[in-house]
Amino acid sequence: MITVESLTRKYGGFTAVDDVTFTARPGRVTGFLGPNGAGKSTTMRIMVGLTPATSGTALIDGARFVDLTNPGHEVGVLLDASAQHAGRTGREILTIAQRTMGLPKGRVEEMLDLVSLTPQEAGRRVRNYSLGMRQRLGIAAALIGDPRVLILDEPANGLDPAGIRWMRDLLRDFARRGGTVLLSSHLLHEIEVIADDIVVIGQGRIVAQGTKAELLAGAGTLVRTPDAEVLGRALAAQGVSCSAVDGGLRTDATPDLVGRVALGAGVPLTELRSGDGAGLEDMFLELTADTQREGAAA
Amino acid sequence: MTATTVQPRTTSTPTTAVPRERRSVPPIGLGRVVSVELRKMFDTRAGFWMLMSIAILSVLATGAAILWAPDADIDFELFASAIGVPMSVVLPMIAILSVTGEYSQRTGLTTYTMVPRRGRTIAAKAIAAVLVGVASMFVALGIGALGNLLGSSIVGVPTDWNISVTEFSQIVLAQVLGMTIGFMLGVLLRSSAAAIVAYFVYSLVLPGLLMLLAGVQSWFADLQPWVDFNLASSRLYDQTMTGEYWAQLGTSGLVWLVAPLAVGLALVMRSEVK
């Protein structure tokens, strides 16, 4: 479990992390979502003791990270997959971790296997790695100590679609076995695919947090039908407002209500679902509209 | 990465997972960190050739001494000083890069998350650097001894082993002190380029400046031996150390080594690792 309480980090007059409080629970994947420069990486660096906090605390199972005697066995960390000596081979980087943490030698090959780096690739120097390979190597280094907690900063960056699916399954499985996962991303879809809980940050402040289901509940319903106009009138008659989207309607009502209204109006539906993807995206853009660089991009 | 490439799964989130227990974890001993830091010094091509350059330069210096030194000068001391010059350049570079690599290559991000007590890592690096320095000196001693045997038999002079154990220990100490200056600059500046430049300013420019200052300012002339670390440590090479010389090595070392190292360590502990 990761417990972050009133965490603040100031650089002179600039507050990079502003009174951030949240919890990442065991058995769940917590997504840390925010636009670039929102304070995600700074928060994560504070968690692992690389950046001192101005005030507030970040605890891993009740202990400060810097007080852990051999943190690699308890917390797997991947902050920047490119922060490796370009002249070392992938296998050498894992060997350094294995020796530092005092693990059996076999762990290196196990981890290479787990992240699907071939022996040939593992023997190459990291300067010749693609970003995706570096991310895999970083994941291997984070998992080598068999930790209970994972802290991953933008781990899906540079992974191809199959890689993202692989990472999702890996992290889901890690959480299912009782582990705690905190991963950040500035891409909504990644978080949406992988996370159970979501913490949204903008300009150093937490702007929303909750389970994915909770955050989606406010996202309304997306319904597609060839008779959008008819359904729109039927919904309006029930006092439900809706807006037209490509080939359908979006409304704040629940899918359940929309389905009943459609049935009553005899309108055939081709799709009916909670407006998750687009809804969460709207939420993300809305929540961060006044904090992100592009302004009200939504 | 778009939503179309990976379909969100509708499976519900796991709620039955049992939080994993904390287990007892073996702490990381200093010895282990030292062995890892030693490995990190030489597991890249740059590091490997840096180490090899010690042997290569020693052989080259020995060869040059045999070729060009006057026959009468062929003795152990000649080879010791010939080898000492390249060593006094390479060893401090090894010490500098062992620290600054963590910052210029950004490996500190991993190093300091695996061993959050940064003092422990820095101490391990210092020990590793000294070990490398001492070991290199013994390699150099061996190469120099071979050179002495070979050189004296080629030119037909009696082999002269005119370096005592004390003298050799002093040379080792002088080389290690030079490394420590490099280490200090690495810790203080945490940038490879800046620390290397600073090392050459310290070892090549500073002695001249201090000499000049002592020449024009009489008050400094008396003070200089007590604050000039270059001067004090160079005596280790070629003079019998007196009590006063040792004392001057101590006071100048406080100024040029201990004080800046303390500042550098404080900075390393507090600084943000990015």
Side-chain angles (χ1 to χ4, degrees):
Chain A
M1 176 140 92
I2 305 171
T3 324
V4 177
E5 239 170 276
S6 309
L7 204 63
T8 299
R9 168 72 203 200
K10 290 181 179 160
Y11 293 95
F14 172 68
T15 307
V17 178
D18 191 357
D19 197 27
V20 163
T21 300
F22 69 89
T23 307
R25 284 176 290 157
R28 302 185 70 85
V29 178
T30 303
F32 198 25
L33 178 67
N36 295 321
K40 302 184 297 289
S41 297
T42 308
T43 305
M44 288 180 141
R45 276 204 314 275
I46 296 172
M47 283 178 190
V48 299
L50 290 177
T51 294
T54 306
S55 63
T57 54
L59 303 178
I60 315 277
D61 290 336
R64 292 193 318 157
F65 185 91
V66 292
D67 292 332
L68 302 176
T69 51
N70 194 345
H73 288 249
E74 310 192 50
V75 189
V77 182
L78 171 59
L79 292 184
D80 185 343
S82 295
Q84 285 298 352
H85 197 299
R88 287 199 181 108
T89 65
R91 179 177 284 110
E92 177 62 19
I93 284 167
L94 290 184
T95 305
I96 289 172
Q98 168 254 321
R99 294 176 71 118
T100 306
M101 295 174 197
L103 300 163
K105 263 193 184 148
R107 282 301 277 175
V108 172
E109 298 306 320
E110 278 174 47
M111 288 300 113
L112 287 171
D113 213 39
L114 178 74
V115 301
S116 310
L117 284 175
T118 65
Q120 265 174 327
E121 288 168 334
R124 261 191 250 158
R125 289 171 202 280
V126 169
R127 75 163 55 84
N128 303 318
Y129 276 28
S130 67
L131 181 55
M133 285 164 75
R134 286 175 201 216
Q135 294 284 18
R136 284 172 186 269
L137 182 68
I139 295 283
L143 288 171
I144 197 168
D146 190 24
R148 302 185 307 278
V149 177
L150 280 180
I151 297 177
L152 312 171
D153 196 3
E154 304 268 357
N157 250 5
L159 289 179
D160 53 23
I164 294 191
R165 175 171 291 231
W166 163 78
M167 167 144 340
R168 177 195 64 193
D169 293 345
L170 185 83
L171 298 183
R172 281 265 169 85
D173 184 57
F174 184 90
R176 192 181 48 73
R177 289 184 289 119
T180 305
V181 181
L182 177 68
L183 89 162
S184 76
S185 178
H186 63 280
L187 295 175
L188 176 71
H189 296 302
E190 281 174 10
I191 291 283
E192 202 187 338
V193 166
I194 302 176
D196 303 312
D197 297 330
I198 302 178
V199 176
V200 189
I201 187 171
Q203 276 195 347
R205 283 193 209 96
I206 300 290
V207 288
Q209 59 179 316
T211 64
K212 187 162 72 182
E214 280 167 11
L215 290 178
L216 288 176
T221 299
L222 182 73
V223 56
R224 287 186 206 278
T225 164
D227 300 330
E229 253 179 73
V230 180
L231 180 59
R233 278 198 300 275
L235 283 167
Q238 297 288 320
V240 175
S241 65
C242 53
S243 55
V245 293
D246 184 31
L249 299 167
R250 175 184 292 287
T251 158
D252 289 338
T254 61
D256 178 60
L257 177 64
V258 175
R260 283 169 198 278
V261 171
L263 182 64
V267 177
L269 300 183
T270 53
E271 186 178 0
L272 174 64
R273 62 180 171 94
S274 61
D276 48 22
L280 196 52
E281 182 152 34
D282 284 349
M283 179 199 82
F284 181 48
L285 291 171
E286 189 185 309
L287 290 171
T288 57
D290 48 337
T291 63
Q292 74 172 358
R293 285 164 216 280
E294 286 75 18
Chain B
M1 268 155 262
T2 64
T4 50
T5 56
V6 178
Q7 291 301 320
R9 248 187 213 172
T10 47
T11 49
S12 63
T13 56
T15 48
T16 51
V18 180
R20 290 172 62 183
E21 291 296 311
R22 262 186 111 151
R23 32 172 201 199
S24 68
V25 175
I28 305 174
L30 183 62
R32 198 197 289 161
V33 189
V34 171
S35 79
V36 169
E37 288 302 331
L38 265 177
R39 185 186 177 107
K40 281 162 67 181
M41 281 170 139
F42 306 113
D43 66 357
T44 62
R45 265 188 208 143
F48 175 76
W49 285 107
M50 189 80 97
L51 182 72
M52 287 305 287
S53 73
I54 292 174
I56 294 168
L57 289 172
S58 298
V59 171
L60 287 179
T62 305
I66 295 175
L67 279 178
W68 290 303
D71 292 359
D73 288 355
I74 298 275
D75 57 22
F76 202 20
E77 198 179 344
L78 169 79
F79 292 104
S81 36
I83 294 172
V85 176
M87 296 282 271
S88 67
V89 176
V90 176
L91 289 180
M93 296 302 117
I94 291 179
I96 287 172
L97 293 176
S98 77
V99 180
T100 56
E102 299 284 0
Y103 295 88
S104 52
Q105 297 280 346
R106 303 183 58 224
T107 48
L109 239 61
T110 345
T111 306
Y112 295 135
T113 39
M114 284 194 288
V115 186
R117 289 162 64 191
R118 299 182 197 175
R120 175 158 287 217
T121 299
I122 297 293
K125 283 178 185 296
I127 294 169
V130 170
L131 287 176
V132 167
V134 174
S136 310
M137 289 309 293
F138 277 94
V139 170
L141 181 77
I143 294 172
L146 283 176
N148 193 24
L149 279 174
L150 200 65
S152 56
S153 66
I154 287 174
V155 298
V157 297
T159 311
D160 188 357
W161 301 103
N162 55 344
I163 288 187
S164 67
V165 174
T166 316
E167 281 170 310
F168 179 68
S169 324
Q170 285 190 16
I171 295 173
V172 173
L173 179 61
Q175 294 282 7
V176 168
L177 286 176
M179 270 189 116
T180 321
I181 290 282
F183 191 83
M184 174 276 286
L185 290 169
V187 171
L188 189 63
L189 299 171
R190 280 164 285 139
S191 145
S192 303
I196 289 172
V197 169
Y199 182 77
F200 284 114
V201 168
Y202 163 84
S203 61
L204 300 178
V205 182
L206 191 70
L209 285 179
L210 291 178
M211 203 71 84
L212 190 70
L213 187 62
V216 295
Q217 295 285 331
S218 57
W219 63 267
F220 187 70
D222 293 335
L223 185 63
Q224 192 206 357
W226 296 94
V227 297
D228 189 339
F229 193 59
N230 268 307
L231 180 72
S233 55
S234 69
R235 289 196 184 114
L236 288 166
Y237 284 107
D238 44 32
Q239 288 187 37
T240 309
M241 294 294 285
T242 64
E244 189 179 49
Y245 285 174
W246 282 114
Q248 289 172 345
L249 189 63
T251 55
S252 57
L254 273 179
V255 176
W256 290 101
L257 196 55
V258 179
L261 189 58
V263 173
L265 284 176
L267 290 174
V268 163
M269 298 305 156
R270 278 183 220 167
S271 71
E272 205 181 354
V273 182
K274 285 194 158 182

